[in-house]
Amino acid sequence: QVQLVESGGALVQPGGSLRLSCAASGSIFSIYAMGWYRQAPGKKREAVATINSDGTTNYADSVKGRFTISRENVNSTTYLRINRLKPEDTAVYYCKAARFENFTWYEYWGQGTQVTVSS
């Protein structure tokens, strides 16, 4: 079982930057693949960035070059750095932890943090 707590969401102006944090507890953080997802009003939740236990990363095409995902296993924390924010980045951002064990995916979600981009 993993508990996830996101933080760092805020109201920012277009062109600004943010760093979101996702603190994990309750299990061995290093074995989990971590991901950031977002859900805008009226839209489906979408994956924006993932980082595997070995550090490999993947990004949605819409955020490549602006978003950077990272992890610090010693602190059991995953980060999402967002640069050059756009109004369309406005959404609730969620953190997910996942591991595959005994042919089963185990997934855990945080409660989300609001990012609003507006002038």
Side-chain angles (χ1 to χ4, degrees):
Q1 190 80 1
V2 177
Q3 292 79 46
L4 303 171
V5 179
E6 301 98 331
S7 61
L11 170 63
V12 295
Q13 292 187 342
S17 299
L18 275 179
R19 190 179 77 161
L20 307 182
S21 300
C22 172
S25 62
S27 187
I28 303 172
F29 178 76
S30 61
I31 68 173
Y32 285 84
M34 302 298 297
W36 284 97
Y37 296 70
R38 66 185 180 186
Q39 187 168 17
K43 295 189 176 181
K44 293 182 178 180
R45 190 173 297 187
E46 61 173 352
V48 294
T50 60
I51 184 167
N52 292 327
S53 57
D54 63 0
T56 56
T57 58
N58 284 284
Y59 297 92
D61 288 341
S62 60
V63 306
K64 282 181 181 177
R66 296 192 301 120
F67 286 30
T68 303
I69 189 171
S70 60
R71 63 189 299 161
E72 289 184 355
N73 289 340
V74 65
N75 295 322
S76 297
T77 303
T78 301
Y79 303 99
L80 184 69
R81 177 71 179 182
I82 309 174
N83 294 326
R84 303 192 303 278
L85 277 155
K86 304 176 181 180
E88 51 264 41
D89 294 321
T90 295
V92 178
Y93 283 71
Y94 297 92
C95 175
K96 186 180 86 169
R99 79 177 197 276
F100 188 70
E101 182 177 317
N102 294 330
F103 307 104
T104 302
W105 275 103
Y106 295 87
E107 298 182 347
Y108 306 92
W109 291 88
Q111 83 290 346
T113 186
Q114 177 71 47
V115 173
T116 303
V117 185
S118 175
S119 55

